[in-house]
Amino acid sequence: MAGRILGVRVVAVLAVFQRLSVVVASEAEDTYELLHEDSWCLEAPLLDFGNGGVNPTVLSDVECQAVCTNDPSCGVYMFGYQPSAACFRCATYPKCTEGGWYSDGDVNVYTRIRAVPDTPAWIGNCFVLLAEPMEVAPFPDDAVARMRRYFLDNLNINGTGRMTASPGAVPALRGCCAGGYNWDWVRDGALSLSTLLDLEGWAVSTVGAEAPVTHAVVKQILEAYTNWVSELQRMGGNQTAPDGTLSIAFGEPKWSIADGTPYPGTWCRPQTDGPPLRALTLMKFAGSGLITEAMEKHLWTLITFDLDWLANGTGIAMESCDLWEESRDANHFWNRVVMRAALEQGSRTASQMGDNERALRYQRAWQEFIGDPIQDHMEATADGNFITECPLSDSKEQSADCIKYEKTIDGAVILALVHSGVLGVVKDGAGVAVSDVVATTVLVYNEAFCNLYPVNEQDTSAGVPGVLYGRYLKDEYGGGNPWQLISAALANLMYLASQEISRGAAMGEAQHSAWRRALQSKSFRGTAPEFIAAGDSVLARLRHHVTSFDDWHLYEQINRYTGEQYNAKDLTWSYAEVLSALKAREDAVALSKANPPKADQSAATPQGDFAGSCFVTIPGPLADPPFSDSAIAKMRGYFMANLNIDVSGTMMAARGAVPALHDCCEGGYSYDWVRDGALSMLALQALQNSEVGTVGWTHQVTPDVVREKMTAYIGWVKHVQGLHNTSFSHYDGDKMVTALIDSHLEPKWNISTGKPYIYNWCRKQSNGPPLRAQALMVFANDAVDEAVKRELWELIKFDLDWLASGDAISADTCDLWEETTDQSFLWNRIVMRSALLQGYNFAVSMGDSDRAAVYLAAVRNKLDDVLSDHLQFNASALGSFITECPVFGGGAGCEQYGKDIDGAVILALIHRWRSGGGVGGQSGDPLHDPTSAVVARTVQVYNAAFCQEYPINREDARGGVPGILYGRYLKDSYGGGNPWQLITAALASLLYQAAQFTVASGSGPVDATLIAWQNTFGPYFRGEARDFVAAGDAVLMRIRHHIGFFDDWHLFEQIDRNTGKQYNAEDLTWSYAEVLSALRERAAAVEMGATEVDTRSLFGSMPWLDWMEAHHIYFFAVGLSIGVVAFVTYQTITAFQNSSREHRKGKRQRKYGCLNRAKEEPSTFVRLVNP
């Protein structure tokens, strides 16, 4: 195996680890150890550029080594040569923490580390990784049995259900606090009993001869614990803590074992992590199969006692003590994670109990009061983002205690992740434990605790695997030492990561790279056995300090200097975490054996496989819109040709053939869809106020054109509404039936007959009336003639009165794609809400205050919080994203079609903005703020999903084509399931709207929200308005890549997922509406000042070049052809050059200075996000 500590090799192993394959330092074999062949050190600037440098006579590796040997400050030397060019280079460094390498033989480079006695070979991270998992668990069976016995001895003291935190002496308290740790801590008790429940049925519960954790043992202890919780809640419900702040049932941290009374002395209060942890343990007990039905109801009473209090938000918002009972803040990561975990599990349990009201209340509580703790607690470093215990260091929410104790790095974060309930779980191919954020957290914590604790340096120098973690860097309690329970939690995290890999979690290059740095292994491939080996490494280091000489007793701490155990012998929580880690290991090993890694699994996901997003960004906004003026004019012409067919006011959905229908449905798309017509008329009216409506020489959208087409459309709406409740015949299955026309719910109409479509179709569709009303209100607001306004008001009331009645809002309706039905599609609910709010304002302007009140009441009663049921947690995005179907309680169609990821969401967001949710909205609210973190995560999740779904996306990304293509949903089979032009254009609109919001609000996203956008578009995304414009331009460039001059700028409905050719329904009106609207949104952003035309030449030097070179990012030249011939203006950014190999070769030539700088063509550089 390659060296784990910067290349030093295996030479010896301590006797206790003689069966382990460990990489340790050697002083006996060679003076220098090879770091890597064909590599160089990235620690410092290059010291010598070959023959003309400082050492021009150094022509061999031996001579370069001598230069280092003669320099006491030299710790690393690098020698490189290229014989064909007679080019040599010798460079020396005092240290080397990171190396870069290429292994294709163009240049021969050897970097070697000098083995200096008493000088550790690492700088910063001292983690020692085992080459492979141990053959048996890091603790022998007799040790596990003995620890189990000590653990059980501390539970259910004298049958009371209470536990002692530790019966041992606590010298770190220095005489303070009567009784030491011999009290029942609510937190420790809940965590310990949760571990006990987990152990049953696993080998770790029975190996060895002592104290097996049997069914009867667990049942007895948990029943006693339940009685204790019942007593505590009954006694404490009406009593407040000594400081008078909170009922002792919720905030009191520790209780007397003897009489069950709260601790009377001074202590850190309140501690609000107890109730959620207690509820989690009781819910686990309720689902264990160990209880009767009557017991289940009793447990539910105890659980709701805690969760009802938590769900009211008071306990979440108040300042609470941290996990270590020393500092106060309202937003500790540990507290918020366990609160969210409890409320999420509580919502699921409530549903199982038939308590739907509580299920919804608990779900809304964590969504409203907690949100996404990871996003609120991420700090940025050069290595990436890592998770902190206190909020972001520059956050106004951070308390004085957070600043005082500098709790940026805190072992509570590791414990929070392990106890969050989201590690080890895989959803949509992603897992939290294997994420690059968790890897960077491990890296940062490794470096911090390696440098803080001398014992870590000593262990690493001796080749002891793993690392030891403590509480935080300014910890002074007991001298500030590593803690056994935190180190065990780190091992647990590794085992949970292994489980995620075995369950199918995908790792991209960003994840592989982050974990290689974290675990000190350039060959780490991210396999399940490797993560097991990482966990074994940590437990092996723990075992090094907890041995048979201690008779396997666990204490609280390990002395930072001597490595001896210290303080609070037999700490119950230490046993709980070590046993829990061993159980997680057992699970990981079983899963790994059942799902062995593929033999050809590579060290990193090859570029082009795109385990994550394949969105390709551009460095800045284009100087001109992505479509030329003549192209826009042509699209306007095709668009308007489909409006006001035969002066009837109707709109034809598409003129072209519809092969995707497979000969179904006479007439194809040559019908008037209520939805498409309303959206098209909204788009038309918006174009008259934008330069996008007039650029070019033809088909201009002037006020006269809009007036003509809208007047005809109004006549058509009168006709449709006039047929309401009249009789017509249509097919219902194979039978022709007679029914009354519902002018609100009929989706499409025959243009020639003026009657509803008579064949089978998805009925009822309730999104037509609100959109139709909006189109009419926009025209009415611009109308000068009061008589026209009053006429329009009658038509508008027809739709909005029906909508406000409430029945339409709560009834089943077809989805946007007319394939399935549900009551709570996000698209429908947002357009309903938008129309009623717009109707409220219009009614006020018409002096109809009664109707205004009715419309507003309908929103408040039925549509006030449309997003609460549509936020789903995604592990890869580290937070919630927006779904089309409700997360809980969706119909069978939602599950059948897999509509959690659905392009209708993007359309819903942009049309909410256009109907009044635009500039001036509330920051952070996704319905008003397109720069919010939830929107960022939605785009991130959708990018990854549609990248994986469509081969054309991956092919385009390999070719450096900017942007991405979106489709309807992942299980879409219509026409083969392809990207859609109109949805992709909607994504561009969303990004342009974000630019507008950024300008209007005076600043872009910051802190956790900016991090969410950087997770979506890469670390160089700054959240400025011009960044959002550039992202929107990238998307439209991707669309343009697949349409253009050879299609004469006709737009179809879809783009073939494999070939990239346009497909189905040529001249789809809705496609034109969305593409033209996206261009209008861009123009609005530019007019607001979202970006200025970049006066730097696109062919000039750009700062992104250095960044891409330093990070090995593939880039492609995008040729810009400008000529006098009009045809050439149609071709922009079409040529992509330089293969990745040629790029790397040219890069090496420049870095070594031995060959002439490669000639480079003028380029606009693009970059690939999350390859």
Side-chain angles (χ1 to χ4, degrees):
M1 295 295 292
R4 293 300 185 221
I5 311 172
L6 288 179
V8 290
R9 64 183 60 166
V10 176
V11 294
V13 182
L14 299 177
V16 69
F17 301 121
Q18 59 185 342
R19 288 181 295 132
L20 312 182
S21 176
V22 184
V23 181
V24 298
S26 169
E27 299 174 17
E29 291 189 30
D30 297 322
T31 304
Y32 293 88
E33 295 289 354
L34 183 67
L35 169 63
H36 202 282
E37 187 172 346
D38 206 10
S39 80
W40 65 88
C41 184
L42 300 179
E43 181 66 24
L46 302 179
L47 303 180
D48 187 335
F49 279 84
N51 295 339
V54 177
N55 297 302
T57 61
V58 175
L59 302 178
S60 69
D61 181 74
V62 173
E63 291 175 295
C64 190
Q65 185 177 119
V67 172
C68 185
T69 301
N70 293 329
D71 181 2
S73 66
C74 176
V76 179
Y77 80 86
M78 183 198 72
F79 177 75
Y81 70 100
Q82 187 170 10
S84 62
C87 176
F88 303 92
R89 174 183 170 200
C90 176
T92 61
Y93 310 89
K95 61 180 180 178
C96 184
T97 62
E98 185 178 2
W101 65 90
Y102 294 107
S103 301
D104 53 10
D106 289 353
V107 179
N108 299 292
V109 183
Y110 301 93
T111 303
R112 302 182 191 277
I113 297 175
R114 185 178 187 178
V116 180
D118 301 321
T119 301
W122 70 92
I123 300 294
N125 187 358
C126 63
F127 191 100
V128 180
L129 179 66
L130 290 168
E132 57 189 17
M134 298 172 64
E135 294 179 9
V136 294
F139 288 91
D141 290 352
D142 63 330
V144 175
R146 190 61 54 89
M147 287 190 286
R148 260 197 337 257
R149 192 190 84 190
Y150 300 143
F151 176 54
L152 292 175
D153 285 347
N154 287 356
L155 306 180
N156 194 20
I157 304 298
N158 299 325
T160 62
R162 296 186 276 274
M163 56 84 71
T164 176
S166 167
V170 189
L173 286 175
R174 298 181 181 177
C176 163
C177 317
Y181 285 3
N182 198 21
W183 296 82
D184 179 284
W185 262 264
V186 176
R187 172 191 56 248
D188 298 36
L191 290 170
S192 298
L193 272 296
S194 178
T195 294
L196 184 70
L197 283 162
D198 288 338
L199 294 182
E200 190 196 3
W202 295 89
V204 70
S205 68
T206 55
V207 294
E210 298 180 79
V213 177
T214 63
H215 183 93
V217 168
V218 174
K219 188 172 186 293
Q220 178 185 11
I221 294 176
L222 264 296
E223 286 179 351
Y225 174 72
T226 301
N227 293 334
W228 161 231
V229 172
S230 180
E231 178 186 349
L232 184 155
Q233 291 181 352
R234 184 174 61 253
M235 176 178 57
N238 298 315
Q239 297 183 47
T240 57
D243 60 6
T245 58
L246 184 65
S247 164
I248 61 174
F250 301 120
E252 190 62 25
K254 60 179 184 173
W255 299 70
S256 167
I257 295 172
D259 59 12
T261 57
Y263 178 72
T266 301
W267 204 256
C268 190
R269 296 181 175 92
Q271 295 187 27
T272 55
D273 60 346
L277 290 168
R278 189 165 57 200
L280 281 167
T281 297
L282 292 178
M283 284 187 282
K284 188 179 289 186
F285 183 36
S288 66
L290 297 171
I291 61 172
T292 63
E293 184 176 348
M295 184 66 168
E296 182 182 69
K297 293 179 180 177
H298 175 56
L299 283 172
W300 185 232
T301 301
L302 303 180
I303 292 164
T304 55
F305 180 91
D306 286 332
L307 294 187
D308 285 355
W309 169 77
L310 199 60
N312 71 29
T314 304
I316 298 173
M318 69 168 49
E319 276 203 348
S320 173
C321 298
D322 71 330
L323 181 57
W324 315 122
E325 307 176 311
E326 294 175 339
S327 67
R328 290 180 176 82
D329 192 271
N331 199 19
H332 287 124
F333 183 69
W334 162 263
N335 292 57
R336 297 181 80 78
V337 165
V338 298
M339 288 174 176
R340 171 166 169 165
L343 288 168
E344 283 196 274
Q345 181 59 43
S347 180
R348 290 188 288 268
T349 303
S351 294
Q352 294 166 2
M353 296 293 292
D355 196 339
N356 294 326
E357 185 277 329
R358 276 195 170 95
L360 183 59
R361 178 150 46 99
Y362 295 165
Q363 178 196 348
R364 287 180 172 173
W366 73 256
Q367 290 174 343
E368 179 179 352
F369 300 127
I370 298 175
D372 300 304
I374 290 179
Q375 289 293 330
D376 296 335
H377 292 78
M378 279 204 291
E379 285 279 9
T381 72
D383 294 301
N385 300 319
F386 73 97
I387 307 170
T388 71
E389 169 65 353
C390 277
L392 298 177
S393 58
D394 57 353
S395 170
K396 295 179 180 178
E397 299 178 20
Q398 197 171 68
S399 68
D401 277 359
C402 279
I403 297 170
K404 173 184 176 183
Y405 289 96
E406 289 186 6
K407 294 174 68 65
T408 303
I409 295 173
D410 192 310
V413 168
I414 307 300
L415 287 156
L417 290 171
V418 168
H419 291 284
S420 66
V422 299
L423 267 61
V425 178
V426 175
K427 186 170 179 59
D428 300 326
V432 174
V434 299
S435 68
D436 53 337
V437 171
V438 171
T440 303
T441 301
V442 172
L443 169 63
V444 171
Y445 284 39
N446 283 353
E447 292 176 342
F449 291 122
C450 282
N451 292 304
L452 184 64
Y453 303 137
V455 68
N456 265 330
E457 296 185 3
Q458 296 162 17
D459 285 350
T460 296
S461 297
V464 182
V467 71
L468 296 175
Y469 275 15
R471 302 197 303 171
Y472 51 93
L473 302 191
K474 281 194 170 183
D475 185 14
E476 297 178 353
Y477 180 60
N481 299 305
W483 279 43
Q484 289 86 323
L485 67 94
I486 305 172
S487 301
L490 174 63
N492 202 330
L493 187 154
M494 301 297 178
Y495 297 137
L496 291 168
S498 174
Q499 293 176 31
E500 289 181 357
I501 295 297
S502 294
R503 291 186 173 112
M507 288 179 65
E509 175 57 27
Q511 290 77 36
H512 282 102
S513 178
W515 277 110
R516 289 189 205 109
R517 294 194 302 272
L519 301 178
Q520 289 284 74
S521 170
K522 290 185 173 65
S523 61
F524 183 81
R525 297 174 300 150
T527 64
E530 285 176 311
F531 276 114
I532 294 172
D536 286 356
S537 300
V538 178
L539 288 189
R541 183 162 295 196
L542 194 56
R543 176 182 165 178
H544 181 60
H545 298 281
V546 179
T547 69
S548 58
F549 296 106
D550 288 324
D551 200 18
W552 306 112
H553 288 279
L554 292 177
Y555 290 62
E556 179 184 67
Q557 305 173 35
I558 294 170
N559 187 283
R560 65 192 294 159
Y561 300 105
T562 69
E564 296 179 350
Q565 290 201 93
Y566 169 75
N567 207 58
K569 181 180 180 181
D570 289 329
L571 187 78
T572 312
W573 193 2
S574 291
Y575 291 118
E577 293 299 341
V578 170
L579 292 170
S580 181
L582 289 168
K583 179 264 176 186
R585 181 190 193 274
E586 191 177 338
D587 194 0
V589 169
L591 284 169
S592 179
K593 289 179 179 178
N595 303 277
K598 296 178 182 178
D600 60 348
Q601 184 169 346
S602 62
T605 303
Q607 189 126 0
D609 283 0
F610 308 115
S613 168
C614 55
F615 191 106
V616 181
T617 65
I618 58 176
L622 298 176
D624 297 305
F627 290 88
S628 66
D629 290 354
S630 58
I632 293 172
K634 282 205 169 189
M635 288 190 288
R636 281 198 315 257
Y638 302 141
F639 173 53
M640 290 192 289
N642 285 356
L643 307 180
N644 193 20
I645 303 298
D646 297 329
V647 201
S648 64
T650 59
M651 178 249 17
M652 184 178 292
R655 294 179 179 272
V658 190
L661 285 175
H662 298 296
D663 298 326
C664 161
C665 316
E666 180 181 322
Y669 285 4
S670 61
Y671 292 85
D672 179 286
W673 263 263
V674 176
R675 173 196 57 246
D676 298 35
L679 288 170
S680 298
M681 301 316 292
L682 282 166
L684 181 73
Q685 293 179 82
L687 286 176
Q688 72 174 322
N689 299 315
S690 169
E691 64 179 25
V692 177
T694 56
V695 295
W697 297 100
T698 57
H699 311 298
Q700 294 182 334
V701 180
T702 64
D704 288 342
V705 168
V706 172
R707 190 179 307 110
E708 173 199 340
K709 294 191 181 296
M710 276 302 301
T711 300
Y713 175 71
I714 292 165
W716 170 245
V717 172
K718 283 183 183 178
H719 167 78
V720 168
Q721 292 184 355
L723 292 179
H724 185 61
N725 282 337
T726 61
S727 177
F728 91 116
S729 298
H730 69 91
Y731 281 95
D732 184 1
D734 296 331
K735 296 181 179 179
M736 179 71 77
V737 298
T738 301
L740 297 179
I741 294 175
D742 190 330
S743 296
H744 299 115
L745 295 174
E746 278 298 327
K748 63 177 184 175
W749 297 66
N750 189 303
I751 293 174
S752 58
T753 67
K755 296 291 183 69
Y757 182 70
I758 66 171
Y759 298 102
N760 292 305
W761 204 255
C762 190
R763 298 178 169 94
K764 309 166 181 177
Q765 295 188 29
S766 60
N767 62 356
L771 291 168
R772 184 167 60 196
Q774 285 182 289
L776 296 177
M777 284 187 283
V778 169
F779 189 67
N781 282 327
D782 290 336
V784 177
D785 192 330
E786 287 299 318
V788 172
K789 277 192 174 182
R790 286 193 294 273
E791 178 187 17
L792 289 171
W793 184 220
E794 294 303 314
L795 303 178
I796 294 164
K797 287 188 295 185
F798 177 87
D799 285 333
L800 294 189
D801 286 359
W802 167 79
L803 194 59
S805 69
D807 293 339
I809 296 174
S810 57
D812 272 355
T813 181
C814 297
D815 71 328
L816 180 58
W817 314 121
E818 306 176 310
E819 294 177 336
T820 186
T821 59
D822 195 86
Q823 297 176 357
S824 300
F825 291 122
L826 184 71
W827 161 262
N828 295 64
R829 295 177 74 79
I830 282 184
V831 297
M832 289 175 178
R833 185 178 189 273
S834 300
L836 286 169
L837 288 174
Q838 198 171 342
Y840 162 79
N841 290 322
F842 190 78
V844 170
S845 72
M846 295 298 293
D848 197 339
S849 57
D850 290 342
R851 269 196 170 81
V854 170
Y855 295 166
L856 188 60
V859 171
R860 289 176 173 170
N861 295 333
K862 296 280 189 176
L863 298 165
D864 189 42
D865 188 7
V866 293
L867 281 184
S868 63
D869 297 337
H870 294 264
L871 295 174
Q872 179 174 310
F873 181 81
N874 179 273
S876 180
L878 300 173
S880 297
F881 71 98
I882 305 172
T883 67
E884 169 68 351
C885 278
V887 176
F888 298 106
C894 284
E895 183 173 349
Q896 176 188 350
Y897 288 92
K899 295 173 68 65
D900 50 347
I901 295 174
D902 192 310
V905 168
I906 308 299
L907 287 156
L909 291 175
I910 65 167
H911 286 291
R912 168 65 188 115
W913 172 275
R914 292 171 183 167
S915 63
V919 172
Q922 182 179 357
S923 178
D925 179 356
L927 295 185
H928 298 276
D929 178 2
T931 70
S932 69
V934 171
V935 173
R937 290 191 294 271
T938 301
V939 175
Q940 180 187 355
V941 170
Y942 283 39
N943 282 352
F946 290 122
C947 175
Q948 293 302 305
E949 184 67 15
Y950 303 136
I952 190 61
N953 264 331
R954 302 192 292 277
E955 182 179 337
D956 282 351
R958 292 187 192 100
V961 182
I964 195 169
L965 298 173
Y966 275 16
R968 301 198 301 173
Y969 51 92
L970 301 188
K971 290 186 178 181
D972 185 14
S973 60
Y974 179 60
N978 298 305
W980 280 43
Q981 288 87 321
L982 69 93
I983 304 172
T984 306
L987 173 62
S989 286
L990 179 65
L991 296 167
Y992 294 138
Q993 290 171 355
Q996 296 171 38
F997 186 90
T998 299
V999 174
S1001 60
S1003 64
V1006 296
D1007 298 334
T1009 303
L1010 178 58
I1011 290 171
W1013 281 108
Q1014 289 174 337
N1015 290 340
T1016 302
F1017 291 131
Y1020 275 69
F1021 188 89
R1022 296 160 298 180
E1024 297 176 4
R1026 62 182 288 109
D1027 295 321
F1028 284 110
V1029 173
D1033 285 354
V1035 175
L1036 289 187
M1037 289 169 73
R1038 179 72 64 97
I1039 294 178
R1040 177 177 173 165
H1041 182 69
H1042 294 282
I1043 65 173
F1045 176 80
F1046 295 105
D1047 285 328
D1048 201 21
W1049 305 109
H1050 287 278
L1051 292 177
F1052 291 58
E1053 179 184 65
Q1054 304 172 37
I1055 294 171
D1056 188 281
R1057 64 189 292 143
N1058 297 304
T1059 68
K1061 294 181 179 180
Q1062 290 200 93
Y1063 169 73
N1064 206 58
E1066 183 177 0
D1067 288 329
L1068 187 78
T1069 312
W1070 194 1
S1071 290
Y1072 291 117
E1074 293 301 342
V1075 170
L1076 291 169
S1077 293
L1079 289 164
R1080 180 187 60 77
E1081 297 282 11
R1082 184 190 194 275
V1086 172
E1087 185 177 357
M1088 291 174 65
T1091 181
E1092 298 176 357
V1093 175
D1094 193 347
T1095 57
R1096 297 172 301 169
S1097 169
L1098 287 175
F1099 304 147
S1101 173
M1102 291 190 175
W1104 292 273
L1105 174 58
D1106 293 335
W1107 178 84
M1108 287 190 291
E1109 288 186 340
H1111 291 79
H1112 312 168
I1113 302 297
Y1114 299 172
F1115 65 96
F1116 306 84
V1118 185
L1120 297 180
S1121 303
I1122 301 175
V1124 295
V1125 182
F1127 169 75
V1128 182
T1129 64
Y1130 294 120
Q1131 304 300 307
T1132 64
I1133 313 176
T1134 57
F1136 296 91
Q1137 60 182 28
N1138 294 337
S1139 71
S1140 59
R1141 176 178 171 82
E1142 289 301 312
H1143 164 58
R1144 291 197 299 268
K1145 180 176 179 181
K1147 175 181 168 184
R1148 283 193 299 280
Q1149 292 169 344
R1150 294 191 294 275
K1151 289 189 77 73
Y1152 278 89
C1154 299
L1155 303 177
N1156 293 330
R1157 183 178 180 90
K1159 183 178 180 180
E1160 297 175 352
E1161 297 297 324
S1163 302
T1164 294
F1165 296 106
V1166 297
R1167 64 176 176 268
L1168 183 65
V1169 176
N1170 296 331

